Amino acid sequence: MFQLQFLVSTVTLSFITQSYSSMVQLSILQSHYHPKPDSLSISVIGFGAAGGGVEYDTVPIQKAINACSAAVSKYRRQCHVIFPPGKYLTATILLKSGVVLDIHRNATILGGPKLEDYPKEQSRWYVILAEDAVDVGIIGGGEINGQGLKFVQRLDEKKNVMVSWNRTGACLGDECRPRLVGFIRCRNIKVSDVRLIEPAYWCLHLVRSDKTSIRDVTIYGNFNSPNNDGIDIEDSNNTVITRCNINTGDDAICPKSSTGPVYNLSATDCWIRTKSSAIKLGSASFYAFKNFLFDNITIVESHRGLALQIRDGGYVSDMTFSNINISTRYYHPSWWGRAEPIYVTTCPRDASSKAGSISNLRFVNITATSENGIFLSGSGGGVLSNLKFINMNLTYKRWTKFTDGLVDYRPGCQELVKHQTAGFMMEHIDGLVVENVVMKWSNDESMRWNNPLDFRPSTVNNISLLNFYSRSYQQ
């Protein structure tokens, strides 16, 4: 027996659900926790969840979600599944339309570490999964923890060696681990005021979804673990990300176009630290990326700042990167990236791929302190066009001991190539504006370079430089 609370009056009803076979009586009261006066609420404790973190609470959690879903159908209003303080160990749980998980700030949902905790299909390996759902969400101030360290086979300061379930035949490759939270073919999604901690693989994954709000979310993944991306926006449109803190090993905010385009994405007021790219478009890039805004973002001690990694023939256009403070440094070369504050590239992934195109990008009010320069690289089959860099302050100096003098085309293309470092490294561009840009580099002997612009005139055309200053400085 459980209770749903409605603030003013109490209505008693009975119904039978498939997940809870006995007759159940409900008191429907309005939730005291949520801003919507019409929302309903159910506690997982009422269905027998122990919250001890040792025994699995999957069955009572799923029963609570199913009951909430039935109430949504009956009363046509949103329903909240409440997780009181405690630790709730679970296999995959399936979120349904109209249902919001409300996790108390002292509550943690723990993802199971065993293969049998997840569905048979590898594409559905998530701790929390919503499929074909509308009006769903996760809120409350609490934590969802993927127990990612249990998937580390060997700790390594360069890069951890991870468990891969491909040995079982469940999937192929070396990235066979469960993601943390997934929304597949969903609409009207809200993820707000939650902590997403230690994913074994990608953390928050949107797939072919529409109208998503991600607000006040903290994401943390082990800094030495690969593939623990922060937010992956795959074939999804109309996404708003704001006031998020992302500290993880792999890419932090990563739009991908695998089976369809990605339109209308904004990310604002965020703080990011990563051993890979803070913002990365691609590398899955078969379709268009259009109408993106990244504003008021701080990127700290990352391997790469703002990155476009187009490898599959997709088209990128109409994007603004503004009011961004960047610090990039070298890490072990097993991680993609060479400390570039800005990296814009398109080239074929392999012989079966084609180069995409990139146009109409604006970088405005950017401050960067980096160990390497900006890399802008089109290709013979896909030039970069109409790029603008306005009001920028660039400082180049060395503070790590990793080897420099390489450009990184990975994945595919030319891989790692020896190349002299410069402030702007450019190839295959038609249309570049550099305006009000100050570039300075340390005259410390460790720098060994003072070249502000590096390009081949035969592949770079229509350049405009206005108020461009370049000089050395003493640290």
Side-chain angles (χ1 to χ4, degrees), residues 411-436:
C413 309
Q414 304 175 57
E415 299 289 330
L416 287 167
V417 177
K418 290 184 179 180
H419 193 285
Q420 180 183 3
T421 303
F424 278 83
M425 295 166 279
M426 300 176 284
E427 57 187 358
H428 298 287
I429 299 173
D430 187 2
L432 172 68
V433 173
V434 177
E435 181 177 337
N436 296 333

mmCIF file with all atom_site columns, all heavy atoms in Angstrom, residues 411-436:
data_model
loop_
_atom_site.group_PDB
_atom_site.id
_atom_site.type_symbol
_atom_site.label_atom_id
_atom_site.label_alt_id
_atom_site.label_comp_id
_atom_site.label_asym_id
_atom_site.label_entity_id
_atom_site.label_seq_id
_atom_site.pdbx_PDB_ins_code
_atom_site.Cartn_x
_atom_site.Cartn_y
_atom_site.Cartn_z
_atom_site.occupancy
_atom_site.B_iso_or_equiv
_atom_site.pdbx_formal_charge
_atom_site.auth_seq_id
_atom_site.auth_comp_id
_atom_site.auth_asym_id
_atom_site.auth_atom_id
_atom_site.pdbx_PDB_model_num
ATOM 1   N N   . PRO A 1 411 ? 40.193 11.466 -34.905 1.00 0.00 ? 411 PRO A N   1
ATOM 2   C CA  . PRO A 1 411 ? 40.365 10.120 -35.439 1.00 0.00 ? 411 PRO A CA  1
ATOM 3   C C   . PRO A 1 411 ? 40.528 10.128 -36.959 1.00 0.00 ? 411 PRO A C   1
ATOM 4   O O   . PRO A 1 411 ? 39.930 10.936 -37.660 1.00 0.00 ? 411 PRO A O   1
ATOM 5   C CB  . PRO A 1 411 ? 39.071 9.425  -35.046 1.00 0.00 ? 411 PRO A CB  1
ATOM 6   C CG  . PRO A 1 411 ? 38.049 10.509 -35.064 1.00 0.00 ? 411 PRO A CG  1
ATOM 7   C CD  . PRO A 1 411 ? 38.771 11.734 -34.584 1.00 0.00 ? 411 PRO A CD  1
ATOM 8   N N   . GLY A 1 412 ? 41.288 9.178  -37.447 1.00 0.00 ? 412 GLY A N   1
ATOM 9   C CA  . GLY A 1 412 ? 41.470 9.026  -38.875 1.00 0.00 ? 412 GLY A CA  1
ATOM 10  C C   . GLY A 1 412 ? 42.312 10.129 -39.475 1.00 0.00 ? 412 GLY A C   1
ATOM 11  O O   . GLY A 1 412 ? 43.188 10.700 -38.833 1.00 0.00 ? 412 GLY A O   1
ATOM 12  N N   . CYS A 1 413 ? 42.051 10.440 -40.744 1.00 0.00 ? 413 CYS A N   1
ATOM 13  C CA  . CYS A 1 413 ? 42.772 11.468 -41.487 1.00 0.00 ? 413 CYS A CA  1
ATOM 14  C C   . CYS A 1 413 ? 44.269 11.168 -41.444 1.00 0.00 ? 413 CYS A C   1
ATOM 15  O O   . CYS A 1 413 ? 44.690 10.078 -41.753 1.00 0.00 ? 413 CYS A O   1
ATOM 16  C CB  . CYS A 1 413 ? 42.439 12.852 -40.939 1.00 0.00 ? 413 CYS A CB  1
ATOM 17  S SG  . CYS A 1 413 ? 40.674 13.169 -40.808 1.00 0.00 ? 413 CYS A SG  1
ATOM 18  N N   . GLN A 1 414 ? 45.077 12.105 -40.991 1.00 0.00 ? 414 GLN A N   1
ATOM 19  C CA  . GLN A 1 414 ? 46.519 11.912 -40.962 1.00 0.00 ? 414 GLN A CA  1
ATOM 20  C C   . GLN A 1 414 ? 47.039 11.506 -39.584 1.00 0.00 ? 414 GLN A C   1
ATOM 21  O O   . GLN A 1 414 ? 48.249 11.426 -39.379 1.00 0.00 ? 414 GLN A O   1
ATOM 22  C CB  . GLN A 1 414 ? 47.222 13.200 -41.405 1.00 0.00 ? 414 GLN A CB  1
ATOM 23  C CG  . GLN A 1 414 ? 46.792 13.699 -42.772 1.00 0.00 ? 414 GLN A CG  1
ATOM 24  C CD  . GLN A 1 414 ? 47.430 15.030 -43.113 1.00 0.00 ? 414 GLN A CD  1
ATOM 25  O OE1 . GLN A 1 414 ? 48.653 15.170 -43.126 1.00 0.00 ? 414 GLN A OE1 1
ATOM 26  N NE2 . GLN A 1 414 ? 46.598 16.029 -43.385 1.00 0.00 ? 414 GLN A NE2 1
ATOM 27  N N   . GLU A 1 415 ? 46.135 11.333 -38.620 1.00 0.00 ? 415 GLU A N   1
ATOM 28  C CA  . GLU A 1 415 ? 46.532 10.991 -37.250 1.00 0.00 ? 415 GLU A CA  1
ATOM 29  C C   . GLU A 1 415 ? 47.440 12.096 -36.689 1.00 0.00 ? 415 GLU A C   1
ATOM 30  O O   . GLU A 1 415 ? 47.152 13.271 -36.832 1.00 0.00 ? 415 GLU A O   1
ATOM 31  C CB  . GLU A 1 415 ? 47.190 9.613  -37.202 1.00 0.00 ? 415 GLU A CB  1
ATOM 32  C CG  . GLU A 1 415 ? 46.264 8.485  -37.675 1.00 0.00 ? 415 GLU A CG  1
ATOM 33  C CD  . GLU A 1 415 ? 45.148 8.176  -36.704 1.00 0.00 ? 415 GLU A CD  1
ATOM 34  O OE1 . GLU A 1 415 ? 45.322 8.356  -35.487 1.00 0.00 ? 415 GLU A OE1 1
ATOM 35  O OE2 . GLU A 1 415 ? 44.077 7.729  -37.166 1.00 0.00 ? 415 GLU A OE2 1
ATOM 36  N N   . LEU A 1 416 ? 48.548 11.747 -36.051 1.00 0.00 ? 416 LEU A N   1
ATOM 37  C CA  . LEU A 1 416 ? 49.491 12.722 -35.492 1.00 0.00 ? 416 LEU A CA  1
ATOM 38  C C   . LEU A 1 416 ? 50.582 13.045 -36.513 1.00 0.00 ? 416 LEU A C   1
ATOM 39  O O   . LEU A 1 416 ? 51.191 12.143 -37.092 1.00 0.00 ? 416 LEU A O   1
ATOM 40  C CB  . LEU A 1 416 ? 50.126 12.180 -34.211 1.00 0.00 ? 416 LEU A CB  1
ATOM 41  C CG  . LEU A 1 416 ? 49.233 12.122 -32.967 1.00 0.00 ? 416 LEU A CG  1
ATOM 42  C CD1 . LEU A 1 416 ? 49.879 11.275 -31.893 1.00 0.00 ? 416 LEU A CD1 1
ATOM 43  C CD2 . LEU A 1 416 ? 48.965 13.527 -32.444 1.00 0.00 ? 416 LEU A CD2 1
ATOM 44  N N   . VAL A 1 417 ? 50.831 14.349 -36.725 1.00 0.00 ? 417 VAL A N   1
ATOM 45  C CA  . VAL A 1 417 ? 51.793 14.784 -37.720 1.00 0.00 ? 417 VAL A CA  1
ATOM 46  C C   . VAL A 1 417 ? 52.725 15.834 -37.097 1.00 0.00 ? 417 VAL A C   1
ATOM 47  O O   . VAL A 1 417 ? 52.269 16.736 -36.384 1.00 0.00 ? 417 VAL A O   1
ATOM 48  C CB  . VAL A 1 417 ? 51.081 15.396 -38.950 1.00 0.00 ? 417 VAL A CB  1
ATOM 49  C CG1 . VAL A 1 417 ? 52.088 15.924 -39.953 1.00 0.00 ? 417 VAL A CG1 1
ATOM 50  C CG2 . VAL A 1 417 ? 50.161 14.372 -39.591 1.00 0.00 ? 417 VAL A CG2 1
ATOM 51  N N   . LYS A 1 418 ? 54.014 15.722 -37.379 1.00 0.00 ? 418 LYS A N   1
ATOM 52  C CA  . LYS A 1 418 ? 54.961 16.724 -36.891 1.00 0.00 ? 418 LYS A CA  1
ATOM 53  C C   . LYS A 1 418 ? 54.702 18.056 -37.584 1.00 0.00 ? 418 LYS A C   1
ATOM 54  O O   . LYS A 1 418 ? 54.515 18.128 -38.800 1.00 0.00 ? 418 LYS A O   1
ATOM 55  C CB  . LYS A 1 418 ? 56.388 16.264 -37.164 1.00 0.00 ? 418 LYS A CB  1
ATOM 56  C CG  . LYS A 1 418 ? 56.840 15.089 -36.310 1.00 0.00 ? 418 LYS A CG  1
ATOM 57  C CD  . LYS A 1 418 ? 58.306 14.744 -36.578 1.00 0.00 ? 418 LYS A CD  1
ATOM 58  C CE  . LYS A 1 418 ? 58.749 13.584 -35.692 1.00 0.00 ? 418 LYS A CE  1
ATOM 59  N NZ  . LYS A 1 418 ? 60.181 13.232 -35.951 1.00 0.00 ? 418 LYS A NZ  1
ATOM 60  N N   . HIS A 1 419 ? 54.677 19.110 -36.781 1.00 0.00 ? 419 HIS A N   1
ATOM 61  C CA  . HIS A 1 419 ? 54.398 20.438 -37.334 1.00 0.00 ? 419 HIS A CA  1
ATOM 62  C C   . HIS A 1 419 ? 54.860 21.484 -36.336 1.00 0.00 ? 419 HIS A C   1
ATOM 63  O O   . HIS A 1 419 ? 54.624 21.367 -35.143 1.00 0.00 ? 419 HIS A O   1
ATOM 64  C CB  . HIS A 1 419 ? 52.897 20.598 -37.600 1.00 0.00 ? 419 HIS A CB  1
ATOM 65  C CG  . HIS A 1 419 ? 52.547 21.793 -38.440 1.00 0.00 ? 419 HIS A CG  1
ATOM 66  N ND1 . HIS A 1 419 ? 52.568 23.073 -37.952 1.00 0.00 ? 419 HIS A ND1 1
ATOM 67  C CD2 . HIS A 1 419 ? 52.184 21.886 -39.743 1.00 0.00 ? 419 HIS A CD2 1
ATOM 68  C CE1 . HIS A 1 419 ? 52.209 23.914 -38.908 1.00 0.00 ? 419 HIS A CE1 1
ATOM 69  N NE2 . HIS A 1 419 ? 51.983 23.214 -40.010 1.00 0.00 ? 419 HIS A NE2 1
ATOM 70  N N   . GLN A 1 420 ? 55.497 22.518 -36.841 1.00 0.00 ? 420 GLN A N   1
ATOM 71  C CA  . GLN A 1 420 ? 55.936 23.603 -35.969 1.00 0.00 ? 420 GLN A CA  1
ATOM 72  C C   . GLN A 1 420 ? 54.727 24.296 -35.335 1.00 0.00 ? 420 GLN A C   1
ATOM 73  O O   . GLN A 1 420 ? 53.722 24.553 -36.001 1.00 0.00 ? 420 GLN A O   1
ATOM 74  C CB  . GLN A 1 420 ? 56.762 24.622 -36.754 1.00 0.00 ? 420 GLN A CB  1
ATOM 75  C CG  . GLN A 1 420 ? 57.260 25.789 -35.906 1.00 0.00 ? 420 GLN A CG  1
ATOM 76  C CD  . GLN A 1 420 ? 58.006 26.810 -36.740 1.00 0.00 ? 420 GLN A CD  1
ATOM 77  O OE1 . GLN A 1 420 ? 58.102 26.672 -37.958 1.00 0.00 ? 420 GLN A OE1 1
ATOM 78  N NE2 . GLN A 1 420 ? 58.533 27.838 -36.087 1.00 0.00 ? 420 GLN A NE2 1
ATOM 79  N N   . THR A 1 421 ? 54.846 24.606 -34.062 1.00 0.00 ? 421 THR A N   1
ATOM 80  C CA  . THR A 1 421 ? 53.760 25.270 -33.356 1.00 0.00 ? 421 THR A CA  1
ATOM 81  C C   . THR A 1 421 ? 53.675 26.743 -33.745 1.00 0.00 ? 421 THR A C   1
ATOM 82  O O   . THR A 1 421 ? 54.690 27.394 -33.973 1.00 0.00 ? 421 THR A O   1
ATOM 83  C CB  . THR A 1 421 ? 53.980 25.148 -31.837 1.00 0.00 ? 421 THR A CB  1
ATOM 84  O OG1 . THR A 1 421 ? 54.088 23.771 -31.494 1.00 0.00 ? 421 THR A OG1 1
ATOM 85  C CG2 . THR A 1 421 ? 52.825 25.764 -31.068 1.00 0.00 ? 421 THR A CG2 1
ATOM 86  N N   . ALA A 1 422 ? 52.443 27.256 -33.830 1.00 0.00 ? 422 ALA A N   1
ATOM 87  C CA  . ALA A 1 422 ? 52.228 28.667 -34.144 1.00 0.00 ? 422 ALA A CA  1
ATOM 88  C C   . ALA A 1 422 ? 50.957 29.147 -33.464 1.00 0.00 ? 422 ALA A C   1
ATOM 89  O O   . ALA A 1 422 ? 50.149 28.350 -32.967 1.00 0.00 ? 422 ALA A O   1
ATOM 90  C CB  . ALA A 1 422 ? 52.141 28.873 -35.656 1.00 0.00 ? 422 ALA A CB  1
ATOM 91  N N   . GLY A 1 423 ? 50.769 30.465 -33.456 1.00 0.00 ? 423 GLY A N   1
ATOM 92  C CA  . GLY A 1 423 ? 49.588 31.028 -32.811 1.00 0.00 ? 423 GLY A CA  1
ATOM 93  C C   . GLY A 1 423 ? 48.303 30.628 -33.505 1.00 0.00 ? 423 GLY A C   1
ATOM 94  O O   . GLY A 1 423 ? 47.328 30.218 -32.874 1.00 0.00 ? 423 GLY A O   1
ATOM 95  N N   . PHE A 1 424 ? 48.259 30.752 -34.840 1.00 0.00 ? 424 PHE A N   1
ATOM 96  C CA  . PHE A 1 424 ? 47.187 30.240 -35.690 1.00 0.00 ? 424 PHE A CA  1
ATOM 97  C C   . PHE A 1 424 ? 47.841 29.300 -36.709 1.00 0.00 ? 424 PHE A C   1
ATOM 98  O O   . PHE A 1 424 ? 48.710 29.728 -37.476 1.00 0.00 ? 424 PHE A O   1
ATOM 99  C CB  . PHE A 1 424 ? 46.479 31.363 -36.444 1.00 0.00 ? 424 PHE A CB  1
ATOM 100 C CG  . PHE A 1 424 ? 45.433 32.098 -35.670 1.00 0.00 ? 424 PHE A CG  1
ATOM 101 C CD1 . PHE A 1 424 ? 45.780 33.115 -34.812 1.00 0.00 ? 424 PHE A CD1 1
ATOM 102 C CD2 . PHE A 1 424 ? 44.086 31.798 -35.833 1.00 0.00 ? 424 PHE A CD2 1
ATOM 103 C CE1 . PHE A 1 424 ? 44.821 33.825 -34.110 1.00 0.00 ? 424 PHE A CE1 1
ATOM 104 C CE2 . PHE A 1 424 ? 43.108 32.499 -35.142 1.00 0.00 ? 424 PHE A CE2 1
ATOM 105 C CZ  . PHE A 1 424 ? 43.475 33.515 -34.274 1.00 0.00 ? 424 PHE A CZ  1
ATOM 106 N N   . MET A 1 425 ? 47.418 28.049 -36.751 1.00 0.00 ? 425 MET A N   1
ATOM 107 C CA  . MET A 1 425 ? 47.869 27.101 -37.767 1.00 0.00 ? 425 MET A CA  1
ATOM 108 C C   . MET A 1 425 ? 46.688 26.837 -38.687 1.00 0.00 ? 425 MET A C   1
ATOM 109 O O   . MET A 1 425 ? 45.629 26.398 -38.230 1.00 0.00 ? 425 MET A O   1
ATOM 110 C CB  . MET A 1 425 ? 48.361 25.813 -37.104 1.00 0.00 ? 425 MET A CB  1
ATOM 111 C CG  . MET A 1 425 ? 49.598 26.017 -36.237 1.00 0.00 ? 425 MET A CG  1
ATOM 112 S SD  . MET A 1 425 ? 49.950 24.626 -35.130 1.00 0.00 ? 425 MET A SD  1
ATOM 113 C CE  . MET A 1 425 ? 48.791 24.986 -33.790 1.00 0.00 ? 425 MET A CE  1
ATOM 114 N N   . MET A 1 426 ? 46.874 27.101 -40.005 1.00 0.00 ? 426 MET A N   1
ATOM 115 C CA  . MET A 1 426 ? 45.713 27.135 -40.896 1.00 0.00 ? 426 MET A CA  1
ATOM 116 C C   . MET A 1 426 ? 45.998 26.407 -42.202 1.00 0.00 ? 426 MET A C   1
ATOM 117 O O   . MET A 1 426 ? 47.104 26.481 -42.736 1.00 0.00 ? 426 MET A O   1
ATOM 118 C CB  . MET A 1 426 ? 45.346 28.590 -41.200 1.00 0.00 ? 426 MET A CB  1
ATOM 119 C CG  . MET A 1 426 ? 44.998 29.413 -39.974 1.00 0.00 ? 426 MET A CG  1
ATOM 120 S SD  . MET A 1 426 ? 44.693 31.146 -40.388 1.00 0.00 ? 426 MET A SD  1
ATOM 121 C CE  . MET A 1 426 ? 46.369 31.739 -40.638 1.00 0.00 ? 426 MET A CE  1
ATOM 122 N N   . GLU A 1 427 ? 44.964 25.748 -42.734 1.00 0.00 ? 427 GLU A N   1
ATOM 123 C CA  . GLU A 1 427 ? 45.043 25.146 -44.058 1.00 0.00 ? 427 GLU A CA  1
ATOM 124 C C   . GLU A 1 427 ? 43.629 24.950 -44.604 1.00 0.00 ? 427 GLU A C   1
ATOM 125 O O   . GLU A 1 427 ? 42.691 24.704 -43.856 1.00 0.00 ? 427 GLU A O   1
ATOM 126 C CB  . GLU A 1 427 ? 45.794 23.811 -44.011 1.00 0.00 ? 427 GLU A CB  1
ATOM 127 C CG  . GLU A 1 427 ? 45.211 22.783 -43.057 1.00 0.00 ? 427 GLU A CG  1
ATOM 128 C CD  . GLU A 1 427 ? 46.099 21.551 -42.927 1.00 0.00 ? 427 GLU A CD  1
ATOM 129 O OE1 . GLU A 1 427 ? 47.141 21.470 -43.595 1.00 0.00 ? 427 GLU A OE1 1
ATOM 130 O OE2 . GLU A 1 427 ? 45.718 20.659 -42.122 1.00 0.00 ? 427 GLU A OE2 1
ATOM 131 N N   . HIS A 1 428 ? 43.488 25.114 -45.907 1.00 0.00 ? 428 HIS A N   1
ATOM 132 C CA  . HIS A 1 428 ? 42.224 24.907 -46.617 1.00 0.00 ? 428 HIS A CA  1
ATOM 133 C C   . HIS A 1 428 ? 41.098 25.775 -46.026 1.00 0.00 ? 428 HIS A C   1
ATOM 134 O O   . HIS A 1 428 ? 40.115 25.277 -45.485 1.00 0.00 ? 428 HIS A O   1
ATOM 135 C CB  . HIS A 1 428 ? 41.839 23.433 -46.608 1.00 0.00 ? 428 HIS A CB  1
ATOM 136 C CG  . HIS A 1 428 ? 42.826 22.554 -47.306 1.00 0.00 ? 428 HIS A CG  1
ATOM 137 N ND1 . HIS A 1 428 ? 42.955 22.513 -48.675 1.00 0.00 ? 428 HIS A ND1 1
ATOM 138 C CD2 . HIS A 1 428 ? 43.760 21.698 -46.811 1.00 0.00 ? 428 HIS A CD2 1
ATOM 139 C CE1 . HIS A 1 428 ? 43.919 21.665 -49.009 1.00 0.00 ? 428 HIS A CE1 1
ATOM 140 N NE2 . HIS A 1 428 ? 44.426 21.158 -47.896 1.00 0.00 ? 428 HIS A NE2 1
ATOM 141 N N   . ILE A 1 429 ? 41.281 27.079 -46.145 1.00 0.00 ? 429 ILE A N   1
ATOM 142 C CA  . ILE A 1 429 ? 40.312 28.061 -45.632 1.00 0.00 ? 429 ILE A CA  1
ATOM 143 C C   . ILE A 1 429 ? 39.996 29.060 -46.739 1.00 0.00 ? 429 ILE A C   1
ATOM 144 O O   . ILE A 1 429 ? 40.887 29.502 -47.467 1.00 0.00 ? 429 ILE A O   1
ATOM 145 C CB  . ILE A 1 429 ? 40.872 28.802 -44.394 1.00 0.00 ? 429 ILE A CB  1
ATOM 146 C CG1 . ILE A 1 429 ? 41.156 27.817 -43.257 1.00 0.00 ? 429 ILE A CG1 1
ATOM 147 C CG2 . ILE A 1 429 ? 39.902 29.881 -43.930 1.00 0.00 ? 429 ILE A CG2 1
ATOM 148 C CD1 . ILE A 1 429 ? 41.853 28.449 -42.067 1.00 0.00 ? 429 ILE A CD1 1
ATOM 149 N N   . ASP A 1 430 ? 38.735 29.438 -46.830 1.00 0.00 ? 430 ASP A N   1
ATOM 150 C CA  . ASP A 1 430 ? 38.321 30.493 -47.741 1.00 0.00 ? 430 ASP A CA  1
ATOM 151 C C   . ASP A 1 430 ? 37.411 31.450 -46.988 1.00 0.00 ? 430 ASP A C   1
ATOM 152 O O   . ASP A 1 430 ? 36.215 31.204 -46.830 1.00 0.00 ? 430 ASP A O   1
ATOM 153 C CB  . ASP A 1 430 ? 37.593 29.906 -48.957 1.00 0.00 ? 430 ASP A CB  1
ATOM 154 C CG  . ASP A 1 430 ? 37.294 30.962 -50.016 1.00 0.00 ? 430 ASP A CG  1
ATOM 155 O OD1 . ASP A 1 430 ? 37.680 32.121 -49.814 1.00 0.00 ? 430 ASP A OD1 1
ATOM 156 O OD2 . ASP A 1 430 ? 36.666 30.614 -51.033 1.00 0.00 ? 430 ASP A OD2 1
ATOM 157 N N   . GLY A 1 431 ? 38.000 32.519 -46.478 1.00 0.00 ? 431 GLY A N   1
ATOM 158 C CA  . GLY A 1 431 ? 37.240 33.518 -45.726 1.00 0.00 ? 431 GLY A CA  1
ATOM 159 C C   . GLY A 1 431 ? 37.542 33.462 -44.240 1.00 0.00 ? 431 GLY A C   1
ATOM 160 O O   . GLY A 1 431 ? 36.990 32.630 -43.531 1.00 0.00 ? 431 GLY A O   1
ATOM 161 N N   . LEU A 1 432 ? 38.438 34.351 -43.785 1.00 0.00 ? 432 LEU A N   1
ATOM 162 C CA  . LEU A 1 432 ? 38.829 34.392 -42.375 1.00 0.00 ? 432 LEU A CA  1
ATOM 163 C C   . LEU A 1 432 ? 38.983 35.845 -41.955 1.00 0.00 ? 432 LEU A C   1
ATOM 164 O O   . LEU A 1 432 ? 39.701 36.616 -42.598 1.00 0.00 ? 432 LEU A O   1
ATOM 165 C CB  . LEU A 1 432 ? 40.145 33.643 -42.164 1.00 0.00 ? 432 LEU A CB  1
ATOM 166 C CG  . LEU A 1 432 ? 40.788 33.750 -40.772 1.00 0.00 ? 432 LEU A CG  1
ATOM 167 C CD1 . LEU A 1 432 ? 39.930 33.023 -39.744 1.00 0.00 ? 432 LEU A CD1 1
ATOM 168 C CD2 . LEU A 1 432 ? 42.202 33.185 -40.796 1.00 0.00 ? 432 LEU A CD2 1
ATOM 169 N N   . VAL A 1 433 ? 38.302 36.236 -40.871 1.00 0.00 ? 433 VAL A N   1
ATOM 170 C CA  . VAL A 1 433 ? 38.412 37.577 -40.308 1.00 0.00 ? 433 VAL A CA  1
ATOM 171 C C   . VAL A 1 433 ? 39.006 37.467 -38.911 1.00 0.00 ? 433 VAL A C   1
ATOM 172 O O   . VAL A 1 433 ? 38.489 36.722 -38.068 1.00 0.00 ? 433 VAL A O   1
ATOM 173 C CB  . VAL A 1 433 ? 37.038 38.275 -40.243 1.00 0.00 ? 433 VAL A CB  1
ATOM 174 C CG1 . VAL A 1 433 ? 37.142 39.602 -39.502 1.00 0.00 ? 433 VAL A CG1 1
ATOM 175 C CG2 . VAL A 1 433 ? 36.483 38.488 -41.644 1.00 0.00 ? 433 VAL A CG2 1
ATOM 176 N N   . VAL A 1 434 ? 40.104 38.203 -38.696 1.00 0.00 ? 434 VAL A N   1
ATOM 177 C CA  . VAL A 1 434 ? 40.729 38.286 -37.371 1.00 0.00 ? 434 VAL A CA  1
ATOM 178 C C   . VAL A 1 434 ? 40.727 39.760 -36.988 1.00 0.00 ? 434 VAL A C   1
ATOM 179 O O   . VAL A 1 434 ? 41.391 40.574 -37.627 1.00 0.00 ? 434 VAL A O   1
ATOM 180 C CB  . VAL A 1 434 ? 42.160 37.722 -37.391 1.00 0.00 ? 434 VAL A CB  1
ATOM 181 C CG1 . VAL A 1 434 ? 42.807 37.884 -36.019 1.00 0.00 ? 434 VAL A CG1 1
ATOM 182 C CG2 . VAL A 1 434 ? 42.149 36.256 -37.811 1.00 0.00 ? 434 VAL A CG2 1
ATOM 183 N N   . GLU A 1 435 ? 39.978 40.111 -35.955 1.00 0.00 ? 435 GLU A N   1
ATOM 184 C CA  . GLU A 1 435 ? 39.776 41.522 -35.614 1.00 0.00 ? 435 GLU A CA  1
ATOM 185 C C   . GLU A 1 435 ? 39.915 41.739 -34.104 1.00 0.00 ? 435 GLU A C   1
ATOM 186 O O   . GLU A 1 435 ? 39.326 41.024 -33.298 1.00 0.00 ? 435 GLU A O   1
ATOM 187 C CB  . GLU A 1 435 ? 38.386 41.959 -36.076 1.00 0.00 ? 435 GLU A CB  1
ATOM 188 C CG  . GLU A 1 435 ? 38.057 43.411 -35.817 1.00 0.00 ? 435 GLU A CG  1
ATOM 189 C CD  . GLU A 1 435 ? 36.699 43.807 -36.360 1.00 0.00 ? 435 GLU A CD  1
ATOM 190 O OE1 . GLU A 1 435 ? 36.212 43.130 -37.293 1.00 0.00 ? 435 GLU A OE1 1
ATOM 191 O OE2 . GLU A 1 435 ? 36.122 44.792 -35.849 1.00 0.00 ? 435 GLU A OE2 1
ATOM 192 N N   . ASN A 1 436 ? 40.731 42.730 -33.740 1.00 0.00 ? 436 ASN A N   1
ATOM 193 C CA  . ASN A 1 436 ? 40.967 43.045 -32.323 1.00 0.00 ? 436 ASN A CA  1
ATOM 194 C C   . ASN A 1 436 ? 41.459 41.816 -31.557 1.00 0.00 ? 436 ASN A C   1
ATOM 195 O O   . ASN A 1 436 ? 40.867 41.397 -30.568 1.00 0.00 ? 436 ASN A O   1
ATOM 196 C CB  . ASN A 1 436 ? 39.696 43.597 -31.669 1.00 0.00 ? 436 ASN A CB  1
ATOM 197 C CG  . ASN A 1 436 ? 39.251 44.913 -32.273 1.00 0.00 ? 436 ASN A CG  1
ATOM 198 O OD1 . ASN A 1 436 ? 40.070 45.674 -32.801 1.00 0.00 ? 436 ASN A OD1 1
ATOM 199 N ND2 . ASN A 1 436 ? 37.949 45.174 -32.227 1.00 0.00 ? 436 ASN A ND2 1
#
